[in-house]
Amino acid sequence: MTNSTFDIIVIGGGPGGYVAAIRAAQLGFKVAVIEKHSNLGGTCLNVGCIPSKALLYSTELYHTIAHKAASNGIIVKGLSPDLPALMTKKNQVVDQLRNGIKALLKANKIDVIHASAQIISPTQVKAGNNVLNTKNIIIATGSQVIELPFLKFDGKIVVSSDDAIAFDSIPEKIVVVGAGAIGLELGSVWSRLGSDVTIVELLPRVAITFDHEISKMAERIFKKQGIKFELDAKVTGIKTKAKTTILTAEKAGKELEFPADKIIVCVGRKPFTEGLGLENLGIERDKQGRIVTDNHFKTNVPGIFAIGDVTDGPMLAHKAEEEGVALAELIAGKSGHVNYTIIPNVIYTDPELASVGISEQEAKEQGLQVKIGKFPFAANGRALASDASEGMVKVIADAKNDKLLGVQIIGRHASELIAPAVAHMEYGGSAEDLARTIAAHPTLAETLKEAALALDGRAIHAI
Ligand SMILES: Cc1cc2nc3c(=O)[nH]c(=O)nc-3n(C[C@H](O)[C@H](O)[C@H](O)COP(=O)(O)OP(=O)(O)OC[C@H]3O[C@@H](n4cnc5c(N)ncnc54)[C@H](O)[C@@H]3O)c2cc1C
């Protein structure tokens, strides 16, 4: 491998990196991916999106059978979770996808090198003992969990999401720090399996990036499911009392105590750039440590680009993937582009939360005159027939020209229902376009249409 020459070297085999590599290979470039782990797929496949969704699916199945089977006329006896089998299923899904990515890169004739990469110059990357030459470098090194200084990870009691997707027994008491997407998803997984889960959050609402009404509804529903919340509470540290670990927090001047077998810290992620040698090259980073790029993903050093979690913007796999595609196309002289205003955001709890564009509150902050249309899942036949009556759709449109500005959904399959809203917004659609789109009956998709109709008081199935 010594002195190999490539058109593009991609550092990092996560969704940003491997997707950029495939698109670049499709465009005729000679490409190498350098990945320090023995598996491709990055955070998303190995410890993120996919394992968490496998656990969410298995535990939702268990929870549904436990709580809904009888009322649907199905008698189940002797129901219990089998944690090792549940984890095996999750690992099989992850393995299958790892092999899939490996096969895709091979089919696209992309060289994969498993080593830690260090950038020596804009045209040279060190991978282990080899120095590779290249015309372009794409940094896609992703992110890592944030550790709180007064709550250090010990891998046993105080853990990150990396550990919380692989506990080998069901903890009795769990405290989750952070009510964002990862905290809510992991809290749901373990609560469904029987753990007593409390989520402690510094901010006044759960799922803070969502519309206030949606996040309030989510809190109410999750509480009904048995998850406890302590909002507006600032975690201060841990202490031990009679051999029990206790998380401490401060709320309205009072100290709160939460005994815990596991404390899952989900307070966000930070860009990962260690060992890349950015300092030697003078590659600019912002205060949060993110690599600074222009709108063509260029760093301040010509020939070096960055995409995904290591750069500004939402830390989402589909954002990283889109950037990978756009960048490969830009390097090929095409007009690659990412529409950052229309990136869907999802929390995969039950019900799911999904949004695109701006919320009612954000529209008001921007001084926009908006019209709002809402429709409850409780008025949808398919939702009632499938025990999915908790939820609502909220459509936000510009009051002057009816242009769709945002859609917020809480409800079953919200992650899928948001897709047509994304498409309408991508084409610059109006609420009227959404209202006139025919949804099959009976489907949950009718809620989207009815919410758009509700904008002008025309929803058919609303009183
Ligand atoms: C529990 C959890 C659940 C999540 N769920 C979702 C979800 O449902 N939907 C969603 O969109 N996002 C989700 N995310 C976020 C998503 O995983 C990230 O946004 C996504 O993985 C970012 O992709 P990336 O390619 O930028 O970086 P990463 O996936 O982090 O990949 C970076 C890769 O670079 C490698 N690397 C780093 N430095 C070097 C080096 N010097 N040399 C060689 N290799 C290097 C790393 O080993 C890693 O494999 C979740 C994250 C977590 C933790």
Side-chain angles (χ1 to χ4, degrees), residues 189-322:
V189 162
W190 293 105
S191 161
R192 290 169 189 169
L193 289 172
S195 299
D196 174 354
V197 175
T198 304
I199 304 186
V200 183
E201 167 62 58
L202 177 68
L203 299 168
R205 287 185 295 116
V206 310
I208 198 78
T209 56
F210 280 80
D211 183 279
H212 294 197
E213 221 176 328
I214 300 277
S215 76
K216 273 284 155 209
M217 190 182 229
E219 184 191 337
R220 219 170 37 240
I221 297 171
F222 299 147
K223 271 185 183 159
K224 260 195 341 202
Q225 292 172 1
I227 298 177
K228 294 175 212 142
F229 289 95
E230 203 59 71
L231 305 177
D232 278 319
K234 189 177 188 302
V235 169
T236 47
I238 47 171
K239 60 186 179 190
T240 311
K241 249 193 217 170
K243 292 194 184 155
T244 302
T245 302
I246 293 168
L247 179 95
T248 56
E250 195 187 289
K251 181 170 176 169
K254 287 198 188 120
E255 188 181 82
L256 305 178
E257 294 189 346
F258 304 94
D261 300 305
K262 296 279 184 194
I263 298 166
I264 311 174
V265 183
C266 303
V267 294
R269 298 180 62 82
K270 59 181 180 186
F272 183 80
T273 53
E274 275 161 39
L276 274 178
L278 301 188
E279 312 73 26
N280 308 335
L281 290 138
I283 292 180
E284 199 187 330
R285 274 170 290 177
D286 66 15
K287 277 189 193 136
Q288 284 83 38
R290 298 173 296 205
I291 297 177
V292 176
T293 56
D294 68 5
N295 57 7
H296 281 181
F297 314 104
K298 290 178 182 165
T299 68
N300 59 322
V301 176
I304 304 183
F305 305 84
I307 55 168
D309 278 11
V310 77
T311 61
D312 191 12
M315 288 187 169
L316 293 169
H318 42 286
K319 178 256 190 189
E321 290 183 16
E322 286 305 309

Side-chain angles (χ1 to χ4, degrees), residues 11-17 34-37 42-44 47-49 52-53 115-117 140-143 161 182 269 272 276 308-309 315-318 320 348:
I11 306 177
I34 309 177
E35 169 54 59
K36 66 178 178 166
H37 283 308
T43 303
C44 177
V47 290
C49 329
S52 60
K53 264 83 253 177
S116 219
T141 49
S143 58
S161 57
I182 298 176
R269 298 180 62 82
F272 183 80
L276 274 178
D309 278 11
M315 288 187 169
L316 293 169
H318 42 286
Y348 295 80

Side-chain angles (χ1 to χ4, degrees), residues 341-354:
T341 57
I342 310 180
I343 297 180
N345 184 26
V346 175
I347 302 181
Y348 295 80
T349 42
D350 180 30
E352 294 179 340
L353 282 74

